[in-house]
């Protein structure tokens, strides 16, 4: 097991009044400690030497990354402080007791390494690995799966296995993560140790990956009550490597109960065939429960989002829901019966996800309710259409329901990509020309007349004109058009055209 000067210093100072001089060595290359032999004129790289000050030569050759543990102080130490890392114990202490203390530090790490390898070669689980590692880190430690649910934990204040049982269905605290997002954007694809800094404390973290380099979870070491020591990142990476190997031997250790259904839903979303077993399982889940689907988009760069955490955090806030990445968005399936009142589901959903949406510059679309999971992709497209229309017509909002924009979507699709002018019936151009040149709008009159179910009295009141004036206008409009307003199909065509024109004019007024 490799150590560095910081790790030796932090543990040695618990027993002796040690002062560290020279550059802090971060390289994990140090050999087992050795006694300094008189007349030694060459100190080799990566070695740890223990000596009393009176036995040190004046100016030996000192290579890079040398540690000198010295008892007693003398002027000649200035040279050593410039060329090596010096751990100085100024007062007189027993030389061999110090040597034994340094040996014990090394033995702690060597024993840890040996026990980890033994656990890996045996049939141990991740919980055993964490418990074995606590004496080295002396901090609470957690392993979370790819949905940020606890897979194992060690907390010194409680029985660790009992503590794990209480946490297996919990995720990392949602509000804590939102606070962190105000200043940081974690990357679930990053390799190597990194430090997460929260107001409440710090976590030393290492992402876990399988043999195919797919994210399977994360190791979290809570350093809230512990000062970070250079070199602990290497130890955390070493521990994470062992955890990955244990997980490879028993993949179920880092799988959650939604994995099978999530895989089936992803196949449906990608229009891929299901196996016989998957069809049977889907039939079990497809029991006429009501769902809505949501699609979440980033208003910034989607690639920078901690997608897996967002999914797991929302799954925690929305029990029995399933979320995953889909076509560079986040897709969610949410059962409506998790809400106390189904009719208020949209409001409840808005309340729950709004903090995350606002903090991370996201927007979300919600589909209509449905019961058949085989129709999942259709309702995902509804949620996508809700975002597309919502961003156009209500950009001040962040959560859009498809039901608000059903007519907008129908009209856009009914045009089939053609310019609206190709659908104008004979005489419709004359109405447009009249409106552009005159003070009275025939299109406004026609629209109001159709919306009021061709009631002259109701339309006249709405337009603040006399009934006889309205009758005259409608007569002129009918004489221009080739359509019969008493024909329901003709009325529907005119209403669609008028609504499409209204939406088109509204969009033209919006800033680019």
């Amino acid at each position: 097991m490799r150590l560095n000067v910081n790790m030796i210093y932090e543990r040695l100072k618990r027993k002796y009044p040690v002062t560290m001089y020279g550059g802090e060595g971060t390289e994990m290359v140090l050999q087992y400690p050795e006694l300094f032999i008189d007349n030694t004129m060459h100190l080799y790289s990566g070695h740890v030497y223990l000596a009393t000050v009176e036995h040190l030569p004046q100016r030996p050759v000192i290579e890079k990354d040398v540690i000198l543990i010295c008892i007693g102080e003398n002027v000649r130490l200035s040279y050593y402080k410039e060329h090596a890392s010096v751990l100085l114990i100024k007062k007189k202490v027993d030389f061999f007791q110090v040597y034994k203390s340094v040996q014990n530090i090394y033995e702690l790490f060597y024993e840890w390494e040996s026990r980890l390898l033994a656990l890996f070669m045996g049939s141990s689980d991740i919980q055993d690995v964490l418990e074995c590692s606590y004496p080295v880190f002396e901090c609470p430690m957690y392993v979370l799966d790819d949905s940020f649910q606890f897979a194992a934990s060690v907390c010194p204040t409680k029985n660790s296995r009992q503590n794990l049982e209480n946490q297996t269905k919990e995720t990392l605290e949602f509000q804590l993560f939102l606070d962190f997002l105000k200043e940081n954007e974690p990357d679930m694809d990053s390799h190597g140790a990194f430090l997460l800094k929260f107001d409440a404390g710090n976590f030393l973290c290492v992402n876990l990956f399988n043999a195919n380099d797919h994210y399977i979870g994360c190791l979290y070491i809570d350093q809230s009550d512990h000062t970070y020591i250079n070199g602990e990142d290497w130890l955390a990476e070493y521990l994470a490597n062992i955890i990955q190997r244990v997980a490879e031997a028993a993949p179920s250790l880092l799988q959650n109960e939604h994995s099978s259904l999530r895989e089936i839903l992803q196949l449906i979303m990608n229009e891929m065939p299901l196996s016989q077993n998957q069809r049977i399982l889907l039939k079990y889940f497809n029991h006429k429960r009501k769902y809505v689907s949501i699609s979440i988009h980033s208003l910034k760069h989607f690639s920078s989002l901690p997608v897996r955490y967002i999914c797991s955090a929302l799954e925690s806030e929305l029990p029995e829901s399933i979320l995953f990445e889909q076509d560079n968005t986040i897709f969610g399936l949410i059962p409506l019966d998790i809400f106390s009142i189904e009719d208020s589901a949209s409001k409840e959903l808005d309340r729950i996800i709004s903090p995350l949406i606002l903090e991370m510059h996201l927007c979300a679309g919600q589909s209509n309710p449905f019961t058949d999971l085989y129709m999942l992709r259709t309702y995902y497209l509804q949620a996508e259409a809700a975002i597309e229309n919502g961003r156009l017509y209500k950009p001040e909002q962040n959560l859009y329901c498809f039901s608000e924009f059903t007519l907008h979507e129908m009209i856009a699709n009914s045009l089939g990509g053609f310019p609206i002018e190709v659908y104008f019936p004979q005489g419709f151009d004359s109405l447009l020309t009249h409106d552009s040149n005159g003070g009275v709008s025939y299109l406004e009159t026609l629209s109001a007349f159709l919306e009021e179910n061709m009631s002259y009295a109701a339309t006249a009141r709405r337009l603040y004109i006399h009934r006889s004036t309205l009758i005259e206008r409608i007569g002129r409009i009918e004489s221009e058009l080739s359509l019969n307003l008493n024909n329901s199909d003709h009325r529907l065509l005119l209403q669609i055209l008028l609504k499409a024109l209204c939406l088109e004019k509204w969009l033209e007024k919006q800033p680019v």
Side-chain angles (χ1 to χ4, degrees):
M1 173 59 66
R2 298 179 291 176
L3 302 181
N4 66 22
V5 62
N6 309 89
M7 299 162 69
I8 298 173
Y9 166 70
E10 289 294 333
R11 290 190 177 266
L12 192 60
K13 75 177 183 179
R14 299 176 186 178
K15 192 168 183 179
Y16 300 102
V18 182
T19 304
M20 182 164 64
Y21 297 94
E24 293 188 2
T26 58
E27 294 296 324
M28 311 285 283
V29 295
L30 299 175
Q31 305 287 334
Y32 208 79
E34 56 192 89
L35 301 178
F36 186 85
I37 301 174
D38 286 353
N39 301 318
T40 297
M41 295 301 295
H42 197 126
L43 278 64
Y44 293 95
S45 177
H47 285 237
V48 181
Y49 298 94
L50 175 62
T52 56
V53 69
E54 57 268 18
H55 288 87
L56 293 177
Q58 287 286 351
R59 290 181 172 271
V61 175
I62 301 177
E63 295 184 0
K64 184 181 178 182
D65 295 319
V66 167
I67 291 181
L68 172 64
I69 302 173
C70 184
I71 301 173
E73 192 170 18
N74 191 291
V75 175
R76 72 180 65 180
L77 276 177
S78 298
Y79 173 79
Y80 289 87
K81 292 175 183 178
E82 292 177 0
H83 295 84
S85 295
V86 178
L87 301 181
L88 178 60
I89 305 173
K90 295 181 180 180
K91 71 175 188 178
K92 292 294 183 181
V93 294
D94 186 276
F95 178 84
F96 290 100
Q97 284 298 323
V98 174
Y99 180 61
K100 184 177 179 180
S101 297
V102 179
Q103 283 184 312
N104 289 340
I105 293 172
Y106 272 82
E107 287 171 1
L108 170 69
F109 290 94
Y110 278 112
E111 182 182 354
W112 175 57
E113 183 179 35
S114 299
R115 289 185 62 194
L116 281 182
L117 293 175
L119 289 172
F120 169 60
M121 297 301 293
S123 57
S124 300
D125 59 19
I126 297 173
Q127 182 66 29
D128 295 323
V129 172
L130 288 191
E131 290 176 355
C132 164
S133 304
Y134 178 75
V136 171
F137 291 94
E138 299 178 317
C139 298
M141 293 184 290
Y142 311 92
V143 172
L144 285 78
D145 63 20
D146 62 353
S147 292
F148 281 75
Q149 294 182 339
F150 287 92
S153 67
V154 170
C155 183
T157 58
K158 298 179 181 179
N159 177 277
S160 58
R161 289 190 180 274
Q162 181 180 357
N163 191 39
L164 172 63
E165 290 174 2
N166 294 333
Q167 292 177 328
T168 50
K169 293 187 178 180
E170 297 179 4
T171 63
L172 217 56
E173 187 180 343
F174 189 54
Q175 188 57 48
L176 188 65
F177 184 75
L178 288 180
D179 292 342
F180 171 69
L181 287 175
K182 294 176 182 177
E183 302 295 336
N184 303 273
E185 287 186 348
D187 185 356
M188 297 299 123
D189 296 322
S190 65
H191 291 65
F194 55 95
L195 201 63
L196 292 182
K197 295 184 178 180
F198 298 88
D199 290 339
N202 300 331
F203 284 86
L204 180 62
C205 310
V206 186
N207 289 330
L208 306 174
F209 301 89
N210 62 17
N212 296 320
D213 203 35
H214 294 153
Y215 178 89
I216 58 173
C218 189
L219 166 66
Y220 281 75
I221 301 174
D222 185 353
Q223 296 197 317
S224 303
D225 300 318
H226 172 84
T227 301
Y228 170 75
I229 303 170
N230 282 331
E232 285 184 329
D233 52 348
W234 186 90
L235 297 179
E237 291 171 10
Y238 181 81
L239 174 58
N241 184 52
I242 295 295
I243 293 172
Q244 287 175 165
R245 292 172 180 267
V246 171
E248 285 176 15
S252 61
L253 295 175
L254 286 176
Q255 288 182 348
N256 60 74
E257 60 184 7
H258 285 318
S259 296
S260 297
L261 181 56
R262 179 181 284 105
E263 181 181 353
I264 292 171
L265 297 181
Q266 286 177 310
L267 289 173
I268 293 174
M269 290 290 289
N270 294 312
E271 302 180 289
M272 300 291 288
L274 303 180
S275 68
Q276 181 65 27
N277 289 337
Q278 288 171 329
R279 287 196 295 271
I280 293 172
L281 185 60
L282 182 61
K283 186 176 181 180
Y284 169 76
F285 286 106
N286 200 28
H287 46 65
K288 301 305 178 183
R289 194 178 189 184
K290 274 192 177 181
Y291 302 93
V292 293
S293 67
I294 62 170
S295 180
I296 300 175
H297 287 216
S298 172
L299 302 179
K300 300 194 301 181
H301 298 292
F302 189 85
S303 60
S304 66
L305 290 180
V307 174
R308 295 180 184 90
Y309 184 84
I310 294 174
C311 293
S312 64
L314 289 176
E315 285 179 354
S316 175
E317 294 293 306
L318 301 164
E320 300 182 65
S321 62
I322 295 179
L323 293 97
F324 51 83
E325 184 175 349
Q326 176 71 29
D327 296 334
N328 207 32
T329 67
I330 295 176
F331 168 80
L333 176 70
I334 302 171
L336 287 178
D337 54 20
I338 67 173
F339 302 106
S340 55
I341 303 176
E342 184 178 309
D343 292 341
S344 65
S346 293
K347 291 183 179 178
E348 282 293 294
L349 184 61
D350 190 9
R351 179 187 62 79
I352 291 171
I353 69 174
S354 284
L356 183 67
I357 285 177
L358 293 173
E359 193 63 57
M360 300 196 66
H361 305 285
L362 307 173
C363 63
Q366 176 186 322
S367 75
N368 290 339
F370 65 100
T371 56
D372 188 355
L373 291 177
Y374 281 103
M375 296 291 291
L376 188 66
R377 183 166 178 81
T378 297
Y379 288 92
Y380 161 71
L381 295 176
Q382 267 196 2
E384 287 284 286
I387 292 178
E388 182 179 352
N389 286 285
R391 294 302 297 162
L392 283 174
Y393 301 110
K394 294 188 176 181
E396 71 281 0
Q397 296 183 10
N398 292 92
L399 177 61
Y400 311 107
C401 296
F402 181 77
S403 57
E404 293 184 59
F405 305 102
T406 304
L407 184 58
H408 300 69
E409 186 68 14
M410 287 184 64
I411 290 173
N413 289 331
S414 69
L415 297 178
F418 290 119
I420 191 172
E421 292 82 2
V422 303
Y423 296 101
F424 287 170
Q426 183 179 339
F428 200 84
D429 283 326
S430 299
L431 299 182
L432 290 172
T433 302
H434 173 273
D435 284 6
S436 62
N437 296 326
V440 175
S441 174
Y442 279 177
L443 292 184
E444 181 184 0
T445 302
L446 177 60
S447 179
F449 186 62
L450 294 175
E451 289 175 8
E452 297 294 342
N453 297 314
M454 298 203 305
S455 167
Y456 285 98
T459 306
R461 285 194 299 270
R462 176 172 168 177
L463 297 177
Y464 300 102
I465 58 176
H466 195 275
R467 189 173 185 274
S468 60
T469 303
L470 175 63
I471 293 173
E472 181 185 357
R473 283 189 196 173
I474 295 299
R476 292 176 182 175
I477 291 171
E478 286 185 306
S479 66
E480 293 287 348
L481 292 173
S482 61
L483 303 180
N484 181 1
L485 295 185
N486 290 317
N487 184 304
S488 60
D489 288 343
H490 292 178
R491 291 199 304 273
L492 178 59
L493 171 60
L494 289 171
Q495 285 180 304
I496 292 175
L497 288 174
L498 290 169
K499 186 65 176 179
L501 281 173
C502 180
L503 293 175
E504 188 176 81
K505 289 179 180 178
W506 187 90
L507 289 175
E508 287 175 355
K509 296 177 181 178
Q510 302 309 303
V512 179

